[in-house]
Amino acid sequence: MTTTTASQEAFLRAFHAEHPAVTAEAFARGRAPDGRSSYEILCGRVAGSSRVLDLGCGDGLLLEHLAACEGRQLAGVDLSPESLALARRRPALSGARLEQGRAQQLPFADGSFDACVSHMALMLMADIEQVAAEVARVLSPAGMLACVLGGGAVGGEAYELFSRSVRFVLDEVPSARRVPVLGDGRTRSREGLDEVLGSAGFGATDWETVPIDLSGTAEQVWGSLSGMYDVGPLDRATVAAVRDSFLAGTAGTTDGDGHIACAFRIHVATARLR
């Protein structure tokens, strides 16, 4: 493991120790134009698969959705023991194999799964070629990788206010405490992901960009935005101050239902082994 990889993973472990369900809290209520969550969209991509691995499974929300298919064999792997502890509390996952580990060295036998899914995790992983090779190894012939990747904020006053507030305080954080560069930039584009996955034996990537509406009350939108890794270097008192500033700044910007607009885009990428 390189020094860079070790520092990235140390940051992720520390962040998720403090926020073990952060991704689910940020995205569970978000909806695409067709009314589905990003988790439901991903489940749809592997609807015909009976043995599924969740790469970076977090607190197990995606696996819980997948468990709705009776008889499906499920497994999950994650860096965070705190997140896995939450996953193990889900009754639907009592039969799932949940392992603490690294995507670069998966604790599963060759050909164990028909599909591998990953929700907002693949783009955070270092040594991405090794990750792709390991996913290919544990998949059966013609097995599928399906992942949701972050595509950034679409815009809106809420996100702009949050971004300004966080950036203002981050300017005062010593460089040694700032968020390290996470993952490999190639996972953020279809062409880059094709390059990574192609070398591991996957065919061309199917790529779809979907807007996700995270609008809600100011408190709900804060809950989604504050799950971003940007807040990782901030102590609790500073996060509380940023929250108060954000809530004050959103006063008067709500619609008739008391909601403020907030939207992100995701990329849904799928590829099969050749």
Side-chain angles (χ1 to χ4, degrees):
M1 187 190 307
T2 67
T3 301
T4 299
T5 300
S7 66
Q8 291 175 352
E9 293 185 5
F11 171 81
L12 291 169
R13 283 194 182 95
F15 185 89
H16 288 281
E18 287 284 325
H19 312 281
V22 65
T23 307
E25 290 167 351
F27 283 93
R29 65 181 185 81
R31 290 295 180 267
D34 65 5
R36 291 184 296 169
S37 70
S38 52
Y39 295 94
E40 292 167 328
I41 291 171
L42 200 49
C43 286
R45 293 297 195 273
V46 297
S49 301
S50 59
R51 302 177 300 158
V52 184
L53 168 65
D54 186 355
L55 195 68
C57 65
D59 73 329
L61 179 58
L62 176 57
L63 284 169
E64 186 173 71
H65 279 290
L66 290 164
C69 179
E70 189 174 352
R72 181 175 266 164
Q73 298 176 38
L74 297 173
V77 64
D78 201 275
L79 280 174
S80 169
E82 292 82 5
S83 296
L84 287 169
L86 296 181
R88 293 189 177 104
R89 295 177 193 170
R90 296 182 183 268
L93 303 185
S94 60
R97 180 179 171 185
L98 301 175
E99 300 277 357
Q100 183 183 353
R102 304 177 64 243
Q104 298 84 352
Q105 192 174 6
L106 292 173
F108 307 105
D110 296 1
S112 295
F113 305 101
D114 307 312
C116 175
V117 293
S118 185
H119 183 277
M120 298 294 286
L122 190 72
M123 75 276 191
L124 303 174
M125 297 176 184
D127 302 329
I128 195 64
E129 290 91 351
Q130 182 62 27
V131 174
E134 278 291 274
V135 171
R137 179 184 65 78
V138 301
L139 285 176
S140 58
M144 173 187 284
L145 170 64
C147 51
V148 163
L149 306 164
V154 175
E157 290 183 40
Y159 178 77
E160 291 171 5
L161 175 62
F162 172 81
S163 183
R164 287 197 304 270
S165 300
V166 171
R167 292 297 169 193
F168 178 77
V169 295
L170 281 178
D171 286 343
E172 304 301 317
V173 174
S175 58
R177 287 179 47 211
R178 294 183 184 179
V179 182
V181 176
L182 297 173
D184 189 309
R186 288 176 293 174
T187 60
R188 307 276 181 167
S189 72
R190 181 177 188 171
E191 296 75 17
L193 194 58
D194 268 340
E195 177 187 334
V196 171
L197 296 181
S199 63
F202 288 89
T205 303
D206 180 75
W207 185 271
E208 181 184 6
T209 300
V210 181
I212 298 293
D213 185 7
L214 293 172
S215 301
T217 65
E219 287 281 6
Q220 288 174 324
V221 172
W222 166 258
S224 294
L225 295 178
S226 62
M228 294 184 178
Y229 291 112
D230 287 350
V231 304
L234 307 180
D235 58 50
R236 293 184 180 183
T238 303
V239 172
V242 173
R243 173 185 172 277
D244 290 345
S245 174
F246 173 82
L247 295 179
T250 58
T253 65
T254 59
D255 62 18
D257 295 323
H259 290 179
I260 55 177
C262 184
F264 274 69
R265 63 171 65 88
I266 59 168
H267 305 304
V268 186
T270 58
R272 284 192 179 274
L273 286 173
R274 292 191 291 264

